[in-house]
Structures are given as C-alpha cells and as structure tokens.
Amino acid sequence: MDKYCVFGNPIAHSKSPDIHAAFAAATGQQLTYEKRLAPLDAFAQAVQAFIAEGGRGANVTVPFKLEAYRLANALTVRAQAAGAVNTLLFDEHGITGDNTDGAGLVADITANAGVPIAGKRVLLLGAGGAARGAVLPILEHRPAALVIANRTVATAEALVQQFAPLGGEGVVSACGFAGIDGRFDIVINATSASLQADLPPIPASVFREGTLALDMMYGKEPTVFMQFAAAHGAIVRDGLGMLVEQAAEAFHGWRGVRPATAEVLAKLR
C-alpha cells in the first residue's frame, strides 16, 4: 500500500486525509494518507524518516512551504515561480517539489465558481507565499489586468518584476492598499488578515455588483473580508474549494489520475 501524508505544525485541524481518502475511494487507488506533525526545527528529518518508511509523496502546509522548497532537489516550473512548495513527490530521482495552490485557486474560480479569468480585472491582496503561488496560474488565464496590492509596496513590486515578462505589456502592476484604484471583476484575499479576524485596508469601491471575492482562508463562518465584500455587492467564496482543488492537483501528480472534486467539496461544506 503506497503511503502519503501531510506535514504541518499545527496539523490536527487538517482536512487533507479526508479529502485524499475520498479521492482514493472514487478512483480505485490503493493508498494510505495521514497527518504528520513535524517539529518546527526538524522538517527535513521528518521528511527523510517518512521516505525511509516507504512514503511516496506528501503535502506540506504551514509553516514548512519554504523549507520544502529548499529541500527538493528538483522543482516544477510553478514551484520555481512560487518560491514555495506544497507538494512533494518521492522517487528514484529524489525529491521533486511542486506547488498546486495556485492551480487549485484558478480551478475553483473557473470551474467551481464558473467565473472565467480571461479578459478580467483581477485584484490580488497580499504578496507573501500564498499570493506568489497564485500569480503564474492567474496569468496563464490571460486576465486584462492583475493588480498586486500589499502593505509593503516593494514586496509587491518585486513580484511584478518577476512576473511582468509572462503577463504581457502592462498587465501586472503593484500598489499599496491605499493606492488601489478602480473596480475589479475578481478580488482574491491572499493576506493572513482573516486569521486574526481582520480586514485588509481596502476601499469598498473595488467591488461592484457581481464581483467574485474569494478569501483563501476558510472556517465555519464567513471571514470578515467575505462579509465586507458581500455587503458591497460581491459574490463571496472561502478557501475550501481551493483546498479541494489543490489536493486534486497533487493527487493527479502522484497517481496520474485526476479525481472529480464536486462531491468531495459538497461533503466538506
């Protein structure tokens, strides 16, 4: 039986084992998938121990995505672009690092929410690891504009410099939260503000009737960002669909089979 796991600290709350068990059952794949609490100062050792036990692959969550990036001896293009790794594949070549977060986000927007990104104005809030992973997959869908807004403008500008060549002339731009101008078709909260029940300091004018506002965080109740967006006419989504879709992308990378996600997402809801 092939073994997989998710590494994190904390990890008790993770829904990943339920998601991957459902994928395996639906696709007839024989595997086990468990949660593993990795010590904060011994992530690499935890991974090596799992490989020694016969582990075939792993997901990586907070706070180890940068360490996983450094640990991998081969990286996919999207992992290189993100500068972070959330999916590891173990084989005779060593450790391959991938990043399925951005692909999961885009799949949730385009397939589950039914909102095309092509030709749309997209606002990405934040310029940390979560935002970085999203930029390349969003640009692959050819938005009319991608504005990256962040507290520290220099961090957002560094992302623009990295990704501008891929987006086409003038598509990607950066600003501070106070400098956000105009309305957007899609607004993505990739900041950690929702963890503190906080709101990124953005103007209500970014939303119009029917804007899709997606928070990468999820919980039992709508986040403060979702409540704010909904109050100004937006259609809101949390990060649960993204979680399921990035898991499906990882599962496909490991097993070569792409699981259907609708039923699993409905069950988690």
Side-chain angles (χ1 to χ4, degrees), residues 156-188:
E157 284 172 342
L159 276 191
V160 171
Q161 281 186 322
Q162 181 186 341
F163 289 104
L166 306 172
E169 188 65 38
V171 171
V172 197
S173 62
C175 63
F177 289 131
I180 299 171
D181 192 31
R183 293 181 169 188
F184 292 85
D185 303 296
I186 301 169
V187 181
I188 300 159

Side-chain angles (χ1 to χ4, degrees), residues 65-66 68-69 75 78-86 97-99 129 132-133:
K65 291 184 185 185
L66 294 177
Y69 178 85
L75 294 164
R78 59 192 180 185
Q80 284 175 12
V85 159
N86 78 328
D98 192 10
N99 189 310
R132 283 184 70 113

Side-chain angles (χ1 to χ4, degrees), residues 208-230:
R208 53 169 181 74
E209 206 62 43
T211 293
L212 177 69
L214 185 147
D215 197 322
M216 287 190 180
M217 303 295 165
Y218 61 90
K220 288 189 171 61
E221 301 298 322
T223 65
V224 179
F225 168 79
M226 289 166 67
Q227 293 170 33
F228 179 71

